[in-house]
């Protein structure tokens, strides 16, 4: 899959462009929205597998933590670090580096 189709699938270029200069709360709101959408994308993944189920579960945990006011940076970091390997396995087109940077901007250093 080319980078262009990966960006179309995940909205990576739009996500990056919309949050480059956004205030911290806007970045957090955008991440919440994007990750909630990603929950549905993973749920609709055509291949049922343990990796998909784990990615779904870990992503839902992260979404729940980000919904807290305020989110706990250590818990967000922990959930993100556990999610990344399975997310790469299930959806290699997801822009992990961009999401990591956005999480850092929204939450603080991960």
């Amino acid at each position: 899959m080319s980078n262009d189709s990966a960006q179309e699938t995940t909205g990576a270029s739009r996500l990056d462009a919309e949050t480059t200069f956004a205030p911290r709360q806007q970045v957090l709101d955008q991440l919440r929205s994007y990750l909630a959408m990603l929950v549905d994308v993973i749920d609709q993944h055509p291949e049922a597998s343990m990796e998909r189920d784990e990615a779904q579960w870990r992503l839902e945990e992260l979404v729940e933590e980000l919904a807290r006011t305020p989110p706990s940076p250590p818990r967000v970091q922990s959930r993100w670090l556990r999610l990344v390997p399975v997310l790469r396995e299930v959806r290699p087109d997801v822009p992990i580096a961009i999401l990591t940077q956005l999480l850092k901007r929204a939450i603080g250093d991960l």
Side-chain angles (χ1 to χ4, degrees):
M1 182 178 283
S2 73
N3 284 343
D4 291 338
S5 61
Q7 287 181 346
E8 288 173 20
T9 303
T10 62
S13 61
R14 182 175 52 86
L15 181 66
D16 190 36
E18 288 179 2
T19 56
T20 299
F21 299 106
R24 181 175 247 174
Q25 185 60 47
Q26 280 183 310
V27 173
L28 182 57
D29 291 343
Q30 181 68 22
L31 276 168
R32 287 173 173 154
S33 174
Y34 181 83
L35 293 175
M37 180 182 67
L38 191 56
V39 168
D40 292 333
V41 168
I42 299 231
D43 187 46
Q44 297 169 7
H45 193 276
E47 250 182 71
S49 67
M50 286 188 344
E51 288 83 8
R52 186 208 60 186
D53 292 346
E54 184 178 357
Q56 182 79 14
W57 167 63
R58 293 195 181 279
L59 183 57
E60 287 170 356
E61 276 189 331
L62 179 60
V63 167
E64 286 175 17
E65 183 57 42
L66 288 171
R68 295 179 189 270
T69 306
S72 164
R75 284 196 299 253
V76 168
Q77 178 182 17
S78 175
R79 283 162 174 71
W80 180 244
L81 291 175
R82 289 183 179 115
L83 170 63
V84 167
V86 291
L87 190 55
R88 280 190 174 129
E89 184 73 27
V90 174
R91 290 299 304 241
D93 58 329
V94 171
I96 300 294
I98 292 171
L99 288 173
T100 300
Q101 289 302 315
L102 295 176
L103 279 166
K104 285 180 181 180
R105 287 200 54 224
I107 303 298
D109 286 334
L110 292 179

